[in-house]
Amino acid sequence: MADTNEFRHMLRRLRTERGLSQDALGAEVHVTGSQIGHYESGRSVPADDMAARLDDTLRADGELRKAAEQARGDAVAPWLRPWADNEERAIALRLWEHSIVPGLLQTEAYARAIFGTGWHTPGQAEEALRTRMERQAAALDRPDPVTLAAIIGESVLHQGAPDVMKEQLTHLVDIGHRPNVHVRVVPTSAGIHAGVAGAFAIATLADGSTVVYLDDLVEGKIGSRARDLRRAVTAWESVCSKALPSEESRQLIMKAIDHHGTELAYE
């Protein structure tokens, strides 16, 4: 029986036999070259539609697709994968952030500012930025993009340099017009609610399983225990009940954009 190693070795062999770089193969199947690298390193296994495209492009006569199917069956449990893999595999994501824009919705300038405030060296910050942009593409720019519902606290709209925030908030408005992306805001007037305890994300995978990411100062943790999921869902329902409807949220974001624009005019 094929396993993850057999799939990734087969993919690398077929690619090199046809003289394709990872970037070139990625362009053929509409993903980044880095994503092809993730498949070949065993960090992730493509969904069936992607495996079919790889199989057709590399003329594998169904063998590569079959190996991918068996590799998915042998894949590790969701809570043992890196969170980025769960993002990539998810069919739906629910995100709550009270202090920053969620990573999947960050502009490059905003993300660079975030990484620049921590303990990263300049080189580490650039690597983290590159990884974040790749994660965005893997989740939102794939042929079957994830359905993403993001709720943020109103204070997020006002924290950052005016030029960076104006661009970032404009991006939130623009991406919020995609049919698969929903952005809402919890106004400051909502007061105390379950979400103030911390940021989190809930991923629903294609097999119906659910996994939660609980953020913290260092690296966060992934949980699938019933207690973790119950707490996350309860917190999500709490922030949903406090969040403004989509159109009112958009108007609040637009108001913040105007505010940052005024600040820039006076600089």
Side-chain angles (χ1 to χ4, degrees):
M1 174 177 287
D3 60 14
T4 303
N5 285 333
E6 182 172 336
F7 165 75
R8 65 191 184 94
H9 291 323
M10 184 186 300
L11 175 60
R12 183 181 296 113
R13 176 176 58 79
L14 290 170
R15 176 180 62 77
T16 55
E17 284 177 354
R18 283 155 183 75
L20 296 172
S21 66
Q22 291 180 343
D23 286 339
L25 177 56
E28 291 284 336
V29 296
H30 309 298
V31 299
T32 64
S34 295
Q35 186 57 56
I36 299 297
H38 290 334
Y39 296 151
E40 292 186 354
S41 68
R43 284 190 58 193
S44 61
V45 182
D48 184 62
D49 60 340
M50 174 57 66
R53 287 200 297 276
L54 288 167
D55 193 282
D56 289 343
T57 299
L58 296 173
R59 302 188 294 279
D61 297 325
E63 291 302 311
L64 188 62
R65 185 177 185 181
K66 184 186 300 182
E69 179 181 3
Q70 293 175 334
R72 285 194 299 274
D74 295 337
V76 298
W79 54 93
L80 294 178
R81 302 179 192 133
W83 178 250
D85 286 354
N86 288 310
E87 283 180 339
E88 183 185 339
R89 294 165 183 257
I91 59 172
L93 285 169
R94 289 171 280 178
L95 313 177
W96 158 247
E97 277 284 2
H98 52 70
S99 57
I100 63 172
V101 173
L104 292 182
L105 299 177
Q106 292 176 3
T107 62
E108 185 171 328
Y110 184 91
R112 180 174 282 110
I114 293 295
F115 290 129
T117 63
W119 44 83
H120 298 86
T121 66
Q124 290 171 335
E126 286 302 310
E127 176 63 20
L129 176 64
R130 182 187 64 79
T131 300
R132 175 149 297 175
M133 296 300 105
E134 289 175 355
R135 286 170 61 181
Q136 289 184 10
L140 295 171
D141 296 333
R142 66 196 191 198
D144 55 339
V146 68
T147 297
L148 188 152
I151 301 179
I152 59 178
E154 183 179 357
S155 63
V156 174
L157 308 180
H158 303 286
Q159 298 178 155
D163 57 336
V164 172
M165 291 308 300
K166 184 178 180 182
E167 178 191 38
Q168 173 62 74
L169 298 183
T170 300
H171 176 64
L172 282 186
V173 171
D174 291 344
I175 201 169
H177 284 102
R178 294 189 187 185
N180 61 303
V181 178
H182 312 281
V183 180
R184 297 169 63 198
V185 179
V186 174
T188 304
S189 60
I192 300 296
H193 53 83
V196 300
F200 61 87
I202 304 172
T204 301
L205 306 181
D207 62 3
S209 62
T210 302
V211 60
V212 61
Y213 179 83
L214 305 172
D215 205 0
D216 67 20
L217 180 63
V218 181
E219 58 182 7
K221 72 171 185 175
I222 300 173
S224 65
R225 295 178 303 175
R227 183 178 65 180
D228 295 331
L229 299 178
R230 184 169 60 250
R231 288 177 175 175
V233 169
T234 297
W236 177 257
E237 291 175 348
S238 177
V239 297
C240 275
S241 71
K242 302 292 185 180
L244 297 172
S246 295
E247 184 55 36
E248 291 182 36
S249 294
R250 185 176 295 114
Q251 292 301 318
L252 193 60
I253 296 172
M254 294 294 293
K255 184 178 179 180
I257 291 172
D258 290 341
H259 173 74
H260 290 299
T262 300
E263 289 187 326
L264 284 171
Y266 281 101
E267 286 185 355

